[in-house]
Amino acid sequence: MPILNKDMTLCISLSARPSNNGTRFHNYLYDQLGLNWIYKAFAPTDLAQAIAGVRGLGIRGCAVSMPYKEDVIALVDAMDPSAKAIDSVNTIVNDGGRLTAYNTDYTAIEQLLERNAVSSGSSVLLQGAGGMAKATAAALRDAGFRNVTIVARNEASGRSLADLYGFEWRAELGDATADMIINVTPIGMAGGAEADSLSFPPAAVDAAKVVFDVVALPPETPLIKAGRAAGKQVITGAEVATIQALEQFVLYTGIRPTDQQVRDAEAFVRAQ
């Protein structure tokens, strides 16, 4: 990494519980590509002031994580179709003070469903109704999935998300099972109150063919561990994080690293 200097380009991330994953991924690639850039994670105490800082300080890019993916919409100047279609933002690009919002979460989910050859005829239980759940539901719908149930205690947000994409809604998991279970809640996230909790009951894990946890930290969440132990096909939040971070990197820099450089960056993140 170059020594800090006045000409250095800054990118940041905003999250309630920041991790070093994005910081290590982006900074590793900056170093490998010889870019005079630096990336730093923040936990904002005032979101509006943080976004004003992005604009006023000329910060080039800003990643947005839970729980800010919807709240930032009112603070940007333009919405790229990737964000506008689902009213959820995970990336902001600053072009001379004009802030444009994008969503690379959708791209990550879309690619992982295809890479893992998950049949669109599969039944799905999607737990969560926030910004990341919107991106996931949109990707499922666009990939041809129809038998999807949104599980969310908040009836207003749960029903709204289900109705938006033509899916079903239920308030509680109960004894429900499906071919694919997807956790898009903070359950199992490191540093949270439910870090050690299983986001789906063992019976749902046993009945599933595919276990998908969007939580990226830790890489092996309780749900992913349970899925592996039961011999299921698993898709991890770490995989989501890599793809969405790569697409952010391209939006910020205009450069697409090679596949090998991305694999090396992934390895660097895992080594922390």
Side-chain angles (χ1 to χ4, degrees):
M1 183 182 301
I3 295 173
L4 290 171
N5 58 80
K6 67 179 181 63
D7 298 317
M8 181 169 278
T9 298
L10 172 64
C11 289
I12 68 171
S13 64
L14 301 177
S15 173
R17 291 201 290 269
S19 77
N20 277 323
N21 288 357
T23 302
R24 289 174 66 85
F25 182 88
H26 286 269
N27 283 323
Y28 178 87
L29 289 174
Y30 296 157
D31 181 66
Q32 292 299 302
L33 294 167
L35 299 177
N36 188 27
W37 290 49
I38 191 168
Y39 188 103
K40 175 76 170 64
F42 292 92
T45 57
D46 186 306
L47 182 63
Q49 289 181 353
I51 299 302
V54 171
R55 190 193 309 275
L57 295 173
I59 294 170
R60 169 59 178 168
C62 176
V64 182
S65 296
M66 292 189 292
Y68 307 120
K69 292 174 183 283
E70 297 167 330
D71 293 341
V72 298
I73 292 174
L75 304 173
V76 301
D77 301 307
M79 295 276 283
D80 180 79
S82 62
K84 188 173 183 178
I86 56 179
D87 286 328
S88 178
V89 173
N90 84 324
T91 306
I92 298 172
V93 177
N94 181 0
D95 291 301
R98 179 174 172 80
L99 305 185
T100 302
Y102 298 80
N103 194 304
T104 64
D105 290 329
Y106 172 95
T107 303
I109 301 296
E110 179 184 49
Q111 289 186 20
L112 286 168
L113 291 172
E114 183 176 351
R115 286 183 191 178
N116 287 274
V118 182
S119 170
S120 60
S122 301
S123 57
V124 181
L125 284 172
L126 172 60
Q127 186 171 210
M132 187 65 183
K134 283 184 179 180
T136 305
L140 287 167
R141 190 275 311 274
D142 292 347
F145 289 80
R146 296 293 177 263
N147 187 3
V148 178
T149 300
I150 306 296
V151 182
R153 293 179 183 176
N154 185 306
E155 182 173 357
S157 59
R159 280 191 183 278
S160 176
L161 179 58
D163 291 346
L164 182 62
Y165 295 108
F167 298 150
E168 299 297 318
W169 166 82
R170 62 187 295 160
E172 303 285 346
L173 278 166
D175 59 359
T177 60
D179 298 324
M180 178 165 60
I181 55 176
I182 309 177
N183 175 49
V184 198
T185 75
I187 299 173
M189 182 181 293
E194 299 175 283
D196 298 323
S197 299
L198 193 62
S199 51
F200 283 86
V205 176
D206 290 340
K209 297 176 182 177
V210 182
V211 174
F212 190 170
D213 198 340
V214 175
V215 172
L217 190 69
E220 295 286 313
T221 63
L223 179 62
I224 292 298
K225 288 181 179 178
R228 291 196 194 281
K232 307 299 179 178
Q233 180 180 4
V234 300
I235 305 173
T236 71
E239 295 174 272
V240 176
T242 294
I243 297 172
Q244 66 85 18
L246 170 61
E247 297 306 320
Q248 288 176 330
F249 184 93
V250 175
L251 285 170
Y252 299 155
T253 67
I255 299 170
R256 183 169 293 277
T258 66
D259 291 345
Q260 185 59 56
Q261 287 170 331
V262 174
R263 286 192 292 270
D264 291 344
E266 283 184 290
F268 184 71
V269 171
R270 289 195 301 268
Q272 64 182 305

